[in-house]
Amino acid sequence: MDRKLDEMQEKIANHIQGAVLTLAGPGSGKTTVLTERTVRLARKTGTPERILCVTFTNAAGNEMRNRYIKAVGSCNATGENIPVFKTVHSFCNEIIKEYENITHIKYTRLEGTSGGKEKLIVELYKDINDSHPDNNVIEKICSINVNSTDLPEIKNVKKILEKYKSYKEKNRLIDFDDMIIFAKKILTSTQKDMITVKEKYCHRFDYVQVDEAQDLTAEQFGIMEIVAANGNIFVVADDDQSIYGFRGAAPECLFKFQKDFPDCKTYYLSRNYRSTKNIVDCSLKFISQNAERFKKDLYSRNEKGPLPKVKILKNGIKQAEFLLKETKKLIKQEPNIKIGILYRNNISGLLPSAVFVSNGLDYKCNGEFYKTNEVDYLDEIISEMRTIERSSVFVPFPSKILRKMKENGLYEKIENHCRETGRNMYYKDVLGEFTEYLCSRTESVAHMISVLDKIDNVSAKKYSDDCTAVEFSTVHSSKGLEYDAVFIIDVVKGEFPGRKANVGKALEEERRLFYVAMTRARKYLYVLCPQRTDGESTFVTELKKIAEQAD
């Protein structure tokens, strides 16, 4: 029996033939609708193996596959009698493998568990810059799309990328970006061997479904359209949640899709089942300031709930202490609450983690998180502290050590380091406050180091979803998740939005990223702005105005 859907969800799940664009707002049940349509397609056609479901991540693909199997029953989803669930990269990799089988020319993949790409970038970075990069720098370089012209401010990044490309070509290596380019070439070439592959894949599927299409690059989108040769392509997207411009995501392809398929039917999933009315209304007013977007009338039938709270704090330490206080209060009110502490960049999680560890409040980390000895310049401070602890009979208090280090120009050194590495002064502020907090709140160097070790231990552990109420995450890593309460922290000028995102497309992407953070919240939303070097974020100004008008 089909699951109960609302009226619009029913229309979408029952649409079988032709091109379809479904614009799905946050919390609108798009995965449920997409899975249900897959089930109905499989039943109607009797050939589920001729349905291709493309997702952006492995996690999304596995979830959809598991939902499908649960819906049809495991006895009806065995062997080849099941739709093909693939990420766009794994699908392109399959096309390349088919080409390799025909030509007997083999390429080595640089991605996967071996971390081949990361290791190569590290070696190139060390060779060119004569220094070892931290994980965050490597992550940024590895995430740069091959077509990107907006490079991060990393020392000699252009030279690193040029050497990386040259090394790949010389050694017949391909990475994720190359998979897409190579697969597209195979599907559009007139070369005999490539035509053979193209004919196989353009006739293999009767129906193509694409999830999270706003995250696809133009090349990826083009591949999906080629494979859907008969025009039966079903696209689910939310242009307002397109946040991977640095990876080449092209949400404008959604507008082009309607032109490429003139008979395309467009549906809107507008009802938000996740959030309160106030969160939906305020987030919609916020994102509506973007010019390049589909207009949507998003709504919620949930309770009204409190308005988003915008809080200006004296500094980062006060922000972290406010976080601790409010988090404890919410947990006391609702013991089963789930809280997300979200930020633009990982460095923002350091100070709150120190405050939480020092006060015995458990938390977990979603995605990558800094190890304290991997943070630029902080590793030198920690190393000095550890040396003092090991070598001295009498070990002074951390506050006295810090005072001595400041007298020796600690913060001037950090500032110079920021200039040399292209970081903004926000990084100096965060690192300075983190060091100040550690040294002023710990009784000894041994105590301070134990706090640092606890932070590293928490970031290294794998927790189950129900082990603790609080989760730290970058906004990018939080996409697809939801929390009862969300705190968006470090909403300061130059950080969120970033200093290079003042106008145009760059600012619109930052606003979309902030919108993703806002719409993770079910009931409570806090936006925190510590008073730092660059001042109040434009997003804080906008939200205060929206909240005042809604009050």
Side-chain angles (χ1 to χ4, degrees), residues 346-544:
N346 262 323
I347 190 73
S348 291
L350 273 176
L351 181 52
S353 65
V355 173
F356 277 48
V357 163
S358 300
N359 288 275
L361 186 60
D362 290 336
Y363 66 95
K364 60 181 177 179
C365 297
N366 173 41
E368 291 294 321
F369 193 70
Y370 277 120
K371 285 199 176 300
T372 56
N373 64 352
E374 294 174 344
V375 181
D376 286 356
Y377 217 85
L378 181 61
D379 60 335
E380 294 183 29
I381 299 169
I382 294 168
S383 178
E384 189 166 339
M385 291 285 193
R386 289 186 188 275
T387 301
I388 291 168
E389 182 197 24
R390 285 193 299 265
S391 62
S392 300
V393 176
F394 172 74
V395 182
F397 290 114
S399 56
K400 288 188 177 180
I401 298 174
L402 178 64
R403 193 181 310 138
K404 188 70 176 174
M405 291 169 76
K406 286 164 77 173
E407 288 171 3
N408 292 332
L410 172 67
Y411 293 137
E412 289 80 2
K413 291 176 183 176
I414 297 175
E415 192 168 317
N416 289 335
H417 173 79
C418 289
R419 289 197 181 96
E420 288 172 7
T421 56
R423 294 184 181 275
N424 61 22
M425 289 304 118
Y426 152 81
Y427 185 89
K428 181 203 74 172
D429 291 341
V430 173
L431 195 51
E433 289 169 344
F434 179 69
T435 310
E436 289 270 4
Y437 180 84
L438 277 176
C439 293
S440 63
R441 300 298 200 278
T442 49
E443 301 163 359
S444 64
V445 171
H447 181 201
M448 188 203 75
I449 290 172
S450 75
V451 171
L452 292 169
D453 288 341
K454 283 178 184 176
I455 292 170
D456 290 342
N457 289 338
V458 171
S459 65
K461 284 180 182 176
K462 300 294 182 184
Y463 289 96
S464 61
D465 287 342
D466 58 353
C467 79
T468 184
V470 186
E471 182 169 272
F472 285 30
S473 178
T474 62
V475 182
H476 281 101
S477 295
S478 76
K479 189 152 178 275
L481 303 178
E482 55 186 49
Y483 306 92
D484 298 303
V486 164
F487 292 84
I488 312 174
I489 67 172
D490 277 355
V491 188
V492 295
K493 188 178 179 182
E495 172 59 13
F496 210 172
R499 59 178 166 158
K500 292 169 74 176
N502 299 316
V503 292
K505 286 188 176 182
L507 179 58
E508 293 213 346
E509 169 133 346
E510 289 287 301
R511 187 175 278 110
R512 291 195 295 268
L513 184 61
F514 198 85
Y515 174 74
V516 166
M518 293 177 72
T519 55
R520 300 310 93 200
R522 294 190 191 103
K523 295 191 285 186
Y524 310 104
L525 176 61
Y526 298 77
V527 176
L528 307 187
C529 173
Q531 293 176 319
R532 283 189 174 133
T533 302
D534 292 323
E536 188 176 290
S537 165
T538 181
F539 292 164
V540 168
T541 307
E542 291 172 13
L543 276 175
K544 284 197 291 190

